[in-house]
Amino acid sequence: MQVYSRVSRGMNVSGCGEPGTASHLQPAPETLREPGRGDSPAQRVREPSVPQGTAMGCWRVAGPVLALLLWPWSSAACPAACRCAPGEVDCSERGLREVPWSLSPNTSTLWLGYNFITVLGPRSFPLLPGLRLLSLVHNRLELIHSQALLGFGVLQELDLSHNHLTVLTPETFLPLTSLATLNLGSNRLGELEPAVLDALPQLQALLLQDNPWVCSCSILPLWRWLSHNTKKVREKSLLLCRVPEQLNKYPIMAFGDESFRQCQDTLLTPQDYIAFLIIGPFSFIASIFFCTFLGSLVVFYHSLRRESHCWRRPRVCRVH
């Protein structure tokens, strides 16, 4: 008795039957199951056979189709202008003017260098809770909104070098509680508030080279911060003055305490402003009364002299 039969006619290349070819299919003969322990040698259980390869052949067709169906979902997290790898998105040198929005929330490294991004607004970035490295090197950044970096609590490295930044505020960096490395080199910073750096509790490496530093009394707070955090400042020899001209290319860290003797702290407390508001108008009113009083005294003195003069020479007074 024939146990297995070949099922070849009426099947397509992948092994699945095509519609309209049922007349060419031969039914497979029944197969004999081997007797079990509880069966007699003559007992047989007839079961229909399933042609091998049929199911696998169907999956060979469904596999590519399933991949095509799932492809938009798998590639939606990678912007068309970028190159993506697990956890990393590289959008460098793409002529971008803004941050791509269709980024995977699982992105941990984002390269945005060598583009034309000028402003980072409060909604420039999508939700990226796991971002650890952000590079915006060689863009045209002029402004970073105070809420542009919200949600970057695990960010460890931020590269903003080779941009057009002139002013930075402490509020911008407050969300970066885990930032360890900050690169602000090759921007247009003339001065920098120490409060910006104090907003980064985990800061370990700071780069400030190639900025047009204004070495006047306004740089005294930054000089003090740099003097107390020398281990955090890299490339200290490249922190050079640009203004005034006589100090051009003079290292900031070469200054000493005696260089700032003529500089005085001009930081005012709220109590100082209240005192000025009270003393200013009071002193102005007091000066008016004092001038009026002095003028009255002068007029009274001249009138007394005139009366005494007329008493001595009455004829002269009559003539006048």
Side-chain angles (χ1 to χ4, degrees):
M1 178 180 295
Q2 184 179 3
V3 179
Y4 297 103
S5 66
R6 298 177 181 177
V7 183
S8 58
R9 291 181 297 174
M11 304 297 291
N12 57 18
V13 177
S14 62
C16 290
E18 297 178 352
T21 57
S23 58
H24 298 286
L25 293 178
Q26 294 182 353
E30 298 175 344
T31 58
L32 297 179
R33 183 172 59 86
E34 294 296 330
R37 292 183 178 180
D39 300 334
S40 61
Q43 190 177 10
R44 297 290 187 270
V45 179
R46 300 183 180 272
E47 296 177 350
S49 64
V50 178
Q52 297 181 353
T54 302
M56 295 301 296
C58 294
W59 279 108
R60 283 195 293 268
V61 173
V65 175
L66 184 61
L68 289 176
L69 292 175
L70 294 179
W71 178 78
W73 296 94
S74 61
S75 62
C78 185
C82 306
R83 298 178 295 271
C84 300
E88 182 176 354
V89 180
D90 187 358
C91 302
S92 304
E93 302 182 63
R94 297 295 177 175
L96 301 177
R97 298 186 180 274
E98 59 184 12
V99 180
W101 189 257
S102 56
L103 295 171
S104 172
N106 297 327
T107 302
S108 60
T109 302
L110 179 58
W111 305 95
L112 291 168
Y114 297 90
N115 285 296
F116 303 104
I117 302 174
T118 57
V119 177
L120 292 180
R123 298 183 180 178
S124 293
F125 291 94
L127 183 63
L128 301 172
L131 192 65
R132 297 180 179 274
L133 186 150
L134 175 59
S135 176
L136 286 156
V137 60
H138 280 284
N139 274 271
R140 299 178 181 178
L141 275 178
E142 298 178 358
L143 177 64
I144 302 179
H145 193 271
S146 59
Q147 299 181 358
L149 303 178
L150 285 177
F152 289 165
V154 299
L155 189 68
Q156 297 181 357
E157 184 174 350
L158 177 61
D159 193 344
L160 297 173
S161 61
H162 297 277
N163 279 285
H164 301 166
L165 296 172
T166 56
V167 178
L168 295 172
T169 60
E171 294 77 12
T172 302
F173 297 95
L174 282 176
L176 308 182
T177 55
S178 301
L179 193 69
T181 302
L182 175 62
N183 192 344
L184 296 174
S186 300
N187 275 278
R188 299 178 180 178
L189 297 172
E191 58 185 48
L192 183 64
E193 297 181 22
V196 174
L197 306 175
D198 292 334
L200 304 171
Q202 302 298 326
L203 185 64
Q204 300 178 5
L206 175 66
L207 293 94
L208 296 172
Q209 73 281 359
D210 299 328
N211 277 286
W213 300 109
V214 179
C215 293
S216 62
C217 290
S218 61
I219 206 173
L220 175 59
L222 178 61
W223 176 83
R224 287 176 176 171
W225 190 95
L226 296 174
S227 300
H228 290 89
N229 297 273
T230 55
K231 294 182 179 180
K232 297 181 180 180
V233 185
R234 296 183 179 179
E235 305 292 342
K236 292 185 287 291
S237 60
L238 298 179
L239 274 64
L240 307 178
C241 300
R242 181 72 59 85
V243 179
E245 186 178 357
Q246 58 269 25
L247 293 176
N248 187 26
K249 296 184 179 181
Y250 188 83
I252 295 179
M253 301 305 295
F255 288 116
D257 292 329
E258 64 280 358
S259 302
F260 298 99
R261 285 181 180 177
Q262 61 180 357
C263 299
Q264 296 180 358
D265 293 336
T266 58
L267 298 177
L268 300 178
T269 62
Q271 291 78 6
D272 296 331
Y273 287 104
I274 294 174
F276 288 147
L277 291 176
I278 296 175
I279 295 175
F282 177 78
S283 60
F284 176 73
I285 296 174
S287 64
I288 294 177
F289 278 105
F290 181 74
C291 292
T292 304
F293 176 73
L294 286 180
S296 301
L297 289 178
V298 172
V299 172
F300 181 73
Y301 173 73
H302 282 288
S303 63
L304 288 178
R305 287 192 61 185
R306 185 173 181 278
E307 290 180 0
S308 62
H309 184 70
C310 291
W311 180 75
R312 294 178 181 179
R313 298 180 180 182
R315 294 182 180 180
V316 176
C317 294
R318 290 175 183 175
V319 174
H320 293 286

